[in-house]
Amino acid sequence: FFVSWVGSMSSVRLSALSILPLAIGLAMLRLLSRRRPIRRAAFDIGSGGTKLLIADVHPLTGKLVSQPLFELDIPVPFKGDEQVHGRLSEDIQLRGLSVLQTMLRKAGELGAVEACAIATEVFRVASNGTEYLGRVRALGLSVSVVTQPLEARLGLATAEALEASAQRGLAASSGIAVWDSGGASFQITTRAAGPASLNEPLRNAELRAYTGRIGTSPALKALLMQVLGRKYEMHANPNPVSLADAEALVNILRSQLDAPPAWLRGQHLYAIGGHNCLFAVALRVLRGGGADVSGATLSTGQMREALGLVVGREDADLEAVSGLSPDADRPLVVVPKMALLVAVAERLQLGGVTYLKTTGSCIGMMSLCDFTPLRPHAEAPGPGMA
C-alpha cells in the first residue's frame, strides 16, 4: 500500500509539473493580448456635425499607437433644425442616420472591433433627442448622451493627447487650457492647480471649466432674429452682414456670457476642432482659403481683424474660407462664427489661441469612454421603428 501511495503521489507531482508550462504559456498569452493594439471606432455626434475616427490604440490606456487610420467630419445641423421645429425633424433624423450608416460601413471595412458613440448638447435639450438615439442604437451602435462637464473633460483629453504626441512636452505637467466650440455650446477646460491634479490620470483629475450654451446655430439665430428682425429658418441667409450688424451680434453674444474667472483671464488656450470650426475659419480668413492652419496661433486682435474681413461679403466671397468640399459648412454661418469667436475672446479677456486640428473629441474618447464590441450594423429604422 505504501509503495502504491508513493507512486500515485509521484504521478500527481509529475502531472502538475507537466501542466505548469501550459499554465504559464496561457498566462503570457493573456498578458500579451492585453498589450496588443486594438482597433476602435469613435463616433462624436455633435449638434452641428457627426464625426468618426478609427485608430489602433492600447487596449488598457486607449492611447493611439500610430496615426489615425481614418477620419471623417460631416455637417449635420441638428441644432439649427431643432431651433426651427422645436424638436428634431424626421428629415434631419434620417440624414443623421444615413451619415452614421456610411460611417459604420467604413468602420467594418477597416476592421474596427470596438466602438463607442457620444451625443452632445442638442440631444440633451431636444424633446425627442432620446428617440433619435434609440434609432441610432437600432443600427447596432452603442451611444450615450454626455453631460457638459464630461464633454469638457473629453476636449481636454483630446488636446493633451495631441500635445504629448507632438512632443511639445507633457501636457499634464504644463496645465494647458482647451477651448472646444461646437454647434450649440462651448467648453474651456484645464486641470485644477496643484500637483495632485496635474499628475493624476485625467479620468480622475479635478478640473476647472468655463462653459456656455452658445454655438454656431444660436449665434446665427440671434443674428437673424434679434439683429436683422427676420424669421429664423434653416436656409435663411444673412449675407451680406454690415459691420454695424456684426458688432450688434457681438454685443448680444457677449451679454450672454458670465464674467471670466481669475484663472482664465489672459490665458493663451489650445483651440480644438475640425475644418468647419470657428478657429479654422478665422485662420483661413487671415491666411487664405487653402492654407494649412493647424498649429497656427490667433491673437484676440487678429480675431477682430477676421470679423472685419467677412462683413459686407456675399456668399461667393466667403466660399473659400467656409470651404469648397462637400463636407464644408455653408457661407451663411461665417459671420456668426467670427462674431462668436470675438465675443468669447473679448469677454474672457483671452490672450489668444493655438489651433489644433481634431476630429471632434474622438481622440479623448479613446481613453475616457467605454467601448463595446462593434456589431454588424442594420439599416436605419423608419418612423416608429426605434
Side-chain angles (χ1 to χ4, degrees), residues 147-158 160 171-172 175-178 187-194 196-211 261 263 368:
T147 63
Q148 197 166 28
L150 178 53
E151 192 176 352
R153 192 174 294 267
L154 288 169
L156 181 57
T158 298
E160 286 194 355
I176 64 172
V178 180
Q187 302 83 36
I188 299 174
T189 319
T190 188
R191 290 172 180 257
S197 177
L198 293 177
N199 298 322
E200 193 170 8
L202 185 57
R203 181 183 292 272
N204 305 316
E206 182 183 353
L207 304 184
R208 296 185 293 197
Y210 180 99
T211 64
W263 64 265
L368 295 185

Side-chain angles (χ1 to χ4, degrees), residues 209-352:
Y210 180 99
T211 64
R213 301 183 100 172
I214 309 174
T216 300
S217 291
L220 175 60
K221 182 177 181 180
L223 174 60
L224 288 166
M225 298 186 69
Q226 294 177 251
V227 178
L228 301 179
R230 292 168 51 184
K231 182 179 179 181
Y232 178 72
E233 298 173 319
M234 277 296 291
H235 302 292
N237 193 336
N239 293 326
V241 180
S242 70
L243 178 59
D245 288 339
E247 287 293 345
L249 177 58
V250 168
N251 291 331
I252 289 170
L253 298 175
R254 189 190 290 120
S255 71
Q256 298 177 33
L257 300 170
D258 293 332
W263 64 265
L264 188 50
R265 288 195 294 271
Q267 276 267 25
H268 186 97
L269 310 176
Y270 282 101
I272 62 171
H275 179 83
N276 292 313
C277 76
L278 46 83
F279 316 109
V281 173
L283 285 163
R284 288 197 298 271
V285 170
L286 296 170
R287 297 182 173 211
D292 180 8
V293 296
S294 186
T297 60
L298 269 173
S299 68
T300 302
Q302 288 174 316
M303 297 175 195
R304 267 273 167 203
E305 181 184 352
L307 177 61
L309 290 171
V310 297
V311 296
R313 305 284 185 174
E314 299 284 355
D315 281 9
D317 302 320
L318 299 174
E319 283 182 348
V321 295
S322 180
L324 299 173
S325 73
D327 299 335
D329 264 346
R330 298 161 294 171
L332 62 89
V333 294
V334 169
V335 173
K337 285 179 179 180
M338 296 304 93
L340 177 59
L341 181 66
V342 170
V344 175
E346 292 186 348
R347 175 63 171 136
L348 303 185
Q349 303 169 38
L350 299 179

